Amino acid sequence: MTNKIELLSPAGDMERLKMSLAYGADAVYLAGTDFGMRAFAGNFTPDEMRRAVDLCHSRGVSIHVTCNTMPRNDEIARLPEWLEYLQDLGVDAVILADVGVLSLLKRYAPRVKAHISTQASISNYQTAAAWYDLGASRVILARELSLEEVAEIRAKTPKELEIEAFAHGAMCVSYSGRCLLSNYMTGRDANRGACAQPCRYKYALVEEKRPGEYFPIGEDEGGAYIMNSRDMCMIDHIPELMAAGLSSLKIEGRAKSAYYAAVVTAAYRHAIDAAAEGKPMDPVWRDEVEKVSHRPYSTGFWFGQPGQYTGDARYIREWQVVAVVTACDAAGNATLSLRNKFSVGDELELVGPDVAATPFTAGEMTDADGFAITQPKNPQMVFHMKLPKPVPPLSILRACRENS
């Protein structure tokens, strides 16, 4: 079977972009410093955007730029110049949610494809077809849809229309992310990329005449996270997603770490490749999604209501990156950059682009000047050590340690 489904990975900044590329993305999505739905992701200046396009295209990877906020008058006035710039760079697609932005894209950047964001809440085949009639080449479906609904949308829309859906990452309690709670409580507008995630807060009741007295919401004294949600994880169901006719599987996480971008991309890369060949996924790659920071997993709405998770809003963080490989020879002698302290004798795991997790014990190390050390200590410090196997640059050393 030929693999015809795209793996679309997040790139919150240049470091995360390089990780997504190295670990197997077919396409990446990112944003400039304006108009994207992740205001705190880092994002790309105009010059960085140029370098990002050149890097992606040199690897045969598509680059999709998000312009999916709901722009106000002053913002919409600045869009034509930005869209023209993106076309000049050779950006493959713009992700948008506003019909006015689509109109501007067609006028000022007609060679750039229009992908309609999940923010547009596309929940049925008629809406998907209507966006296609307006000039969209792809729709990114609402996350509230079931597998059967997605398959029906695919069956009842033009075959030329590409259909993308989220397969992994954080879920939002609000309908496709269209939420006013953050704006109301903190002045940070979720619809313009600055969500404070108040749905994750722990809430209690206060009676008007008893200020300062907090009554828990729930059956115990722990209270309840009444708007909290679990993360989506569909890595066990890639064959079903492919059978539904999807064109692209999307990993949420432009605000997540470079480690997250690398490891989750690698896991889904191997899952997709195995499914395309009609083979079961090697369990070692399934284990990888458990080794990134995440909330308890569910399958989202793909197989019905995911159910509410009200225990807490904490992330599960059981692994920590200690170093990143910058160079390695055929004998496994590596140059590394430190991320978190570790010592000779610590139990570590090595994982990399197409390199399955390999446990080993940290051995002798030397600093950049060749002097023996037992513990590299300074962030970004360059040091040397022998690894259990040769690996490509951007491979990762990690330690199993709670770091919430």
Side-chain angles (χ1 to χ4, degrees), residues 20-65:
S20 288
L21 295 178
Y23 283 76
D26 296 311
V28 296
Y29 66 103
L30 49 83
T33 51
D34 288 317
F35 311 118
M37 284 296 292
R38 292 292 183 272
F40 307 107
N43 299 320
F44 291 75
T45 65
D47 182 60
E48 289 172 332
M49 187 72 74
R50 181 181 297 279
R51 290 191 283 123
V53 172
D54 291 343
L55 179 60
C56 287
H57 287 173
S58 72
R59 306 281 185 89
V61 171
S62 298
I63 182 167
H64 307 168
V65 176

Side-chain angles (χ1 to χ4, degrees), residues 320-325 334-350 360-367 372-388 395-401:
Q320 187 177 56
V321 177
V322 296
V324 175
V325 176
T335 302
L336 305 101
S337 175
L338 184 70
R339 295 297 181 269
N340 288 285
K341 292 180 183 179
F342 72 101
S343 303
V344 170
D346 283 359
E347 298 301 317
L348 305 177
E349 273 192 358
L350 171 65
F360 74 104
T361 302
E364 295 178 357
M365 293 178 274
T366 59
D367 64 17
I373 55 174
T374 59
Q375 183 189 65
K377 296 180 179 180
N378 301 319
Q380 311 297 319
M381 174 182 174
V382 174
F383 66 100
H384 306 280
M385 69 182 299
K386 185 174 178 59
L387 301 177
S395 294
I396 293 166
L397 273 61
R398 64 191 177 198
C400 185
R401 56 176 72 152

Side-chain angles (χ1 to χ4, degrees), residues 103-120:
S103 175
L104 291 175
L105 180 70
K106 291 301 175 183
R107 187 185 312 168
Y108 293 98
R111 297 192 302 274
V112 179
K113 295 178 181 178
H115 291 182
I116 308 305
S117 171
T118 191
Q119 293 296 113

